[in-house]
């Protein structure tokens, strides 16, 4: 017998997996024969809960997703065309570019202004099609670009495709230990004017092992909360030697990337993996540790799939937000028993060995190295039908399933955040590069200017054809500050 909710989840996950596109904000049309009505209702309800916009038969456009339910599966079409393969790495790069209009527009502005012409820009990020396009957009704008990626965050086929398009790539999935460190330092020695970092790993390595290079930088743009935290600590300790623009703090990044991008990609990657163990996110209570922007997104996507979610948090304000969003909040050790435990903190050591023993499944959303306190020697691969399942291990001592050895689940076990979300994030990166080069701020961690963030939002809204109300005619400087309440008494 078909389980409508399980089928709905698989259909929506398949769309995301095959396209790396976002469900939230997407126009979706669901159809089915009479015998599949219950499943079609489940698909529509789950899509709406994930943020999709249900549309009628006359809706058209390149972003409309058609889901024609057929038994325990569905035929999918995007923009009126049956969903097909994106092809090889080059095809995935080209497909991603067609879904990145905001970054493309911001890069065109850089090119027209000549802002980065001749500058040496290093991009240190997870290497997949969207990041490759960021590098290509900077190259098209006139910069000399080189890319580095951690071995666990490198798609070798994408690396080869990027090299074929003229961008040097220092990324090798086979490196580890001292060889990996040497490769990172060699990349830094290329000598950059601007470094675009994710996690500030390369920026911190340069400060530690090659400070002479840091002195030459115009500055750094940093993408993540976990990367900005140590950079702010360095600034407080007078150890920071370069200007940093906090891309992560811009509303066009955190407001979308963490909530919608990391939320969808991590939850779907988890669901894809645990399906190999005949489990769904609805089979267990789910403990989300940390209710920052990532935790908010992860919890919301889990709830949309029908999971029972509880939250552990150390910050009283975030704990209150979780309660008002309808989640039970408590101490992790009181809520972890038998649960799917997902760490959303970006803090090393969040999932202790005691929590490992309590939980049934453990995963990390976002993440930093060591977020799960693992005993690597106790891990054994999960074997199904005589073959090990990639990214799925069992802690033999505790009997807990460990996803991706505690790594950033949406990066190493999937294709990262959806394209449209990274389009916004990378457009914000490009705006930050422009801000950095044109304003040359002093050493320290600086916000991206409000007007730059507003411009990214304006371009993004225009690219989606959003109809906006006109702005009020008067400016704040022209406004009458006197209270209207008492005017009749004068």
């Amino acid at each position: 017998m078909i389980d409508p909710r399980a089928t709905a989840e698989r259909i929506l996950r398949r769309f995301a997996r095959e396209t790396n596109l976002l469900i939230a904000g997407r126009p979706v049309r669901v159809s089915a024969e009479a015998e599949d009505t219950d499943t079609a209702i489940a698909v529509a309800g789950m899509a709406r809960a994930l943020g999709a916009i249900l549309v009628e038969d006359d809706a058209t456009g390149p972003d409309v997703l058609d889901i024609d339910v057929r038994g325990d599966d569905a035929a999918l079409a995007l923009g009126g065309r049956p969903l097909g393969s994106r092809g090889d790495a080059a095809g995935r790069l080209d497909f991603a570019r067609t879904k990145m209009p905001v970054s493309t527009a911001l890069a065109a502005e850089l090119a027209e202004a000549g802002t980065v012409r001749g500058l040496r820009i290093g991009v240190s990020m997870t290497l997949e099609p969207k990041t490759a396009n960021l590098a290509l957009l900077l190259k098209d704008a006139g910069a000399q670009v080189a890319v580095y990626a951690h071995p666990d965050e490198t798609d070798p086929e994408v690396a080869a495709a990027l090299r074929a398009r003229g961008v040097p790539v220092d990324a090798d999935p086979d490196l580890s230990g001292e060889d990996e460190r040497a490769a990172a330092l060699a990349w830094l020695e290329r000598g950059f004017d601007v470094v675009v970092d994710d996690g500030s790993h390369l920026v911190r390595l340069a400060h530690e092992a090659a400070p002479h290079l840091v002195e030459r930088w115009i500055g750094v743009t940093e993408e993540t909360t976990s990367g900005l935290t140590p950079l702010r600590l360095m600034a407080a300790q007078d150890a920071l030697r370069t200007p940093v623009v906090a891309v992560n703090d811009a509303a066009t990044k955190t407001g979308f990337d963490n909530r919608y991008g990391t939320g969808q990609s991590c939850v779907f990657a988890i669901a894809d993996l645990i399906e190999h163990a005949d489990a769904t996110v609805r089979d267990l209570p789910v403990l989300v540790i940390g209710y920052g922007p990532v935790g908010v997104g992860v919890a919301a996507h889990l709830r949309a799939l029908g999971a029972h979610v509880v939250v552990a948090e150390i910050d009283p304000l975030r704990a209150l937000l979780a309660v008002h969003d309808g989640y039970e909040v408590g101490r992790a050790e009181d809520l972890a028993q038998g649960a799917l435990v997902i760490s959303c903190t970006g803090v090393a050591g969040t999932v202790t060995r005691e929590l490992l023993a309590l939980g049934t499944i453990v995963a990390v959303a976002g993440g930093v190295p060591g977020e799960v306190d693992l005993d690597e020697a106790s891990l054994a691969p999960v074997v199904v039908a005589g073959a090990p399942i990639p990214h799925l291990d069992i802690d033999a001592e505790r009997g807990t399933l460990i996803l991706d050895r505690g790594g950033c689940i949406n990066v190493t076990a999937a294709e990262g955040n959806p394209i449209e979300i990274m389009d916004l994030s990378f457009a914000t990166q490009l705006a930050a590069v422009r801000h950095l080069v044109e304003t040359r701020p002093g050493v320290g961690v600086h916000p991206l200017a409000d007007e730059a963030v507003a411009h990214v939002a304006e371009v993004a809204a225009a690219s989606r054809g959003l109809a906006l109300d006109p702005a009020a005619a008067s400016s704040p400087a022209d406004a009458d500050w006197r209270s209207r309440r008492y005017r009749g008494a004068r």
Side-chain angles (χ1 to χ4, degrees), residues 341-364:
V341 178
I342 306 175
S343 178
C344 302
T345 66
V347 176
T350 292
V351 181
T352 63
R353 296 194 182 185
E354 289 74 20
L355 288 179
L356 276 176
L358 292 171
T360 298
I361 305 172
V362 169
V364 171

Side-chain angles (χ1 to χ4, degrees), residues 122 124 148 170 181-192 195 197 201-207 209-210 212-214 216-217:
S124 172
Y148 172 83
D170 295 337
R181 187 175 190 272
L185 284 170
W187 179 79
L188 287 166
E189 289 287 354
R190 286 180 176 272
F192 299 114
V195 174
D197 208 352
H201 300 292
L202 273 292
V203 172
R204 285 180 278 164
L205 178 63
H207 277 76
H212 62 286
L213 298 175
V214 179
R216 306 174 191 170
W217 293 349

Side-chain angles (χ1 to χ4, degrees), residues 46-104:
M46 193 171 287
R48 186 191 294 112
L50 288 165
I53 302 166
L54 299 183
V55 297
E56 301 299 329
D57 291 345
D58 58 350
T60 60
D63 294 325
V64 176
L65 169 61
D66 279 292
I67 303 175
D68 183 12
V69 178
R70 300 176 181 179
D72 63 353
D73 203 348
L76 304 179
L78 187 64
R81 297 183 178 182
L83 202 64
S85 170
R86 289 175 284 162
D88 59 8
R92 288 189 288 140
L93 262 67
D94 293 339
F95 178 82
R97 177 66 73 92
T98 67
K99 304 297 182 182
M100 297 177 69
V102 192
S103 295
T104 300

Side-chain angles (χ1 to χ4, degrees), residues 15-16 19-28 62-65 78 86 95-104 128 130 252-253 256-257 260-262 264 415-428 456 460-461 463-464:
F15 166 73
T19 63
N20 195 214
L21 293 176
L22 187 67
I23 291 174
R26 179 171 302 285
V28 173
D63 294 325
V64 176
L65 169 61
L78 187 64
R86 289 175 284 162
F95 178 82
R97 177 66 73 92
T98 67
K99 304 297 182 182
M100 297 177 69
V102 192
S103 295
T104 300
E128 38 74 36
K130 303 176 291 289
T252 47
K253 193 277 179 185
F256 297 86
D257 189 308
Y260 299 101
T262 305
Q264 174 180 303
E415 202 174 355
N417 285 351
I419 296 169
E420 302 97 330
I421 288 298
M422 297 313 298
D423 181 30
L424 266 179
S425 291
F426 288 161
T428 309
V456 173
S463 75
R464 293 196 177 192

